[in-house]
Amino acid sequence: MSTITPTFSGEFQLAGWSESHNGGCKVTFWLPDPSDLDAFRAMTVRKGQQAGHRLAAVLVEIGDDEQPVQPTTATVNNTAKGGALARLAAQLCNDVEFHDFVYHEFGKSFHQGSEANECAEWMREQCGIESRAELDSNEEAAEYFHTYIRKPWVQWRKDRGLA
């Protein structure tokens, strides 16, 4: 059995995370030493200055006592901000392009400065729910969201060369 040498092994610090409709989900880390970047620099050179190598990772938070921290259930399940569908719905409600889609496909416009809140209200009404978080537990609402909102939105973007 052969041993695989890790690309990177060491401690680093979470710098931030983001999620967007066109950039996807991203996590950024601070490395303690500039030389720690060497393994990653070599990867982008091999792919023509493009990122995109697939890597596997196992991350464990380290406490002030230098011991692993056991994540809470809310952290593991990300229930504090809702599940995947609730987060997607919130992301869409904050997207100016999505507001245009709603206007052109549903004839619904939002007042400048309150677009995100009005869009969230519109989406809840469309799906028959009180909170976007219900999209992750209410199968009927989730099916409506997928069929009448998400899929037409994806097609609308493709038709305009945005996807």
Side-chain angles (χ1 to χ4, degrees):
M1 182 172 194
S2 65
T3 303
I4 297 174
T5 304
T7 302
F8 171 82
S9 177
E11 187 176 321
F12 48 87
Q13 186 176 6
L14 178 65
W17 61 270
S18 64
E19 183 177 16
S20 69
H21 72 284
N22 59 354
C25 304
K26 297 177 188 176
V27 179
T28 306
F29 298 104
W30 285 310
L31 298 170
D33 188 84
S35 66
D36 291 331
L37 282 174
D38 291 345
F40 303 105
R41 285 185 183 115
M43 286 183 178
T44 55
V45 169
R46 284 197 310 260
K47 287 198 81 167
Q49 303 299 329
Q50 294 289 321
H53 284 72
R54 294 180 64 216
L55 301 167
V58 175
L59 306 176
V60 178
E61 183 180 355
I62 300 169
D64 292 336
D65 60 357
E66 298 298 317
Q67 297 299 309
V69 173
Q70 183 66 34
T72 64
T73 304
T75 305
V76 172
N77 295 331
N78 203 13
T79 54
K81 293 205 173 212
L85 285 181
R87 290 190 310 272
L88 174 60
Q91 180 182 341
L92 292 177
C93 289
N94 285 295
D95 187 331
V96 174
E97 288 178 8
F98 184 74
H99 301 162
D100 290 341
F101 160 75
V102 172
Y103 176 75
H104 286 98
E105 298 298 310
F106 296 91
K108 175 68 177 169
S109 62
F110 307 116
H111 295 93
Q112 189 172 16
S114 59
E115 296 94 344
N117 289 335
E118 290 181 19
C119 186
E121 183 179 330
W122 171 83
M123 189 175 292
R124 289 190 303 268
E125 288 173 4
Q126 294 298 304
C127 296
I129 53 179
E130 296 291 319
S131 167
R132 289 176 297 205
E134 291 178 52
L135 290 171
D136 294 293
S137 59
N138 181 327
E139 289 182 26
E140 189 176 303
E143 181 64 30
Y144 184 93
F145 175 77
H146 285 301
T147 303
Y148 298 103
I149 297 175
R150 188 188 62 79
K151 288 178 183 176
W153 159 242
V154 170
Q155 187 61 50
W156 190 83
R157 293 190 76 237
K158 283 181 184 177
D159 292 346
R160 283 156 183 77
L162 301 172

